[in-house]
Amino acid sequence: MVLDRGCEIARHARPGGAGGAPGGEREPAAPEGTPTPAAPILVVDDDPAILATIEEILDLEGYPVVTAGNGADALALVERVRPALVLLDMRMPVLDGWGFAREVRARGLDVPILVMTAAQNAQRWAAEIGADGYVAKPFDLFELLDAVGRLRRPPDE
C-alpha cells in the first residue's frame, strides 16, 4: 500500500499483523509479553489528512501517537512528552522542519527524527538537519513502519 494525500487505510495494516480481528476486536500489534512503549511517536505535518492517516496506521500497530500541524506546536510537545521518535514534514507554516530540528538540537533535546517529505531531495534534506532517516512521500506503508521500528527509541532510554 502506498500512502498519498487523502488515501484510505486498510484495516489490516500488515499481513498477519495488527488490524481488525473477527468480532471487531483488534489483534495485538506486538508479540505477547512485549512492553508497550511509554513515549509516543510525534507526527508533524501541516496536512490534516496525512496526520490522521499516519496516526491511525501507527495506532493500529500499537504505537501511542501525538500530532502537531507545525514545527512550533511540535516543539512544545517535544519538551512536554519526550517522544520516542519524531516523523517530520519539512515544508510547514509557522516553523518548518529545518527550524524545528535546529531548535530541538539547540535545546539539547535528543530525539530521533525521521523526515517525511514529497520533495525529490528528501535524503539531502534529512542530512541537512542531521535526521536519523527519511521516507519520501508518497511512501509505502511497510517502508514507513519498518523505519519507525528501526528508529523508535526504546522505552527504557
Side-chain angles (χ1 to χ4, degrees):
M1 169 190 291
V2 174
L3 295 179
D4 201 355
R5 185 178 300 253
C7 71
E8 293 295 318
I9 12 181
R11 290 289 169 210
H12 294 278
R14 286 184 181 266
E25 293 182 26
R26 207 169 97 209
E27 298 169 318
E32 281 193 38
T34 302
T36 302
I41 294 173
L42 171 57
V43 183
V44 188
D45 200 302
D46 61 328
D47 185 324
I50 290 174
L51 274 181
T53 300
I54 294 173
E55 179 179 25
E56 186 168 350
I57 288 166
L58 293 176
D59 180 62
L60 286 170
E61 289 295 315
Y63 295 111
V65 180
V66 292
T67 63
N70 63 63
D73 291 345
L75 193 56
L77 280 169
V78 166
E79 290 187 333
R80 193 169 68 237
V81 302
R82 300 297 167 114
L85 175 64
V86 176
L87 303 183
L88 181 66
D89 187 22
M90 295 300 288
R91 295 182 189 157
M92 297 177 291
V94 184
L95 183 63
D96 63 22
W98 291 272
F100 170 83
R102 185 175 46 253
E103 283 298 315
V104 164
R105 305 298 186 227
R107 295 174 189 202
L109 303 171
D110 183 30
V111 59
I113 296 175
L114 176 67
V115 167
M116 46 180 206
T117 184
Q120 289 183 351
N121 44 5
Q123 183 177 12
R124 182 173 60 89
W125 287 1
E128 284 177 5
I129 67 165
D132 299 276
Y134 71 94
V135 291
K137 294 179 191 173
F139 41 80
D140 178 79
L141 171 61
F142 301 118
E143 177 187 4
L144 174 67
L145 292 174
D146 287 344
V148 167
R150 267 192 336 272
L151 298 176
R152 182 182 55 87
R153 178 161 293 139
D156 58 304
E157 286 187 23

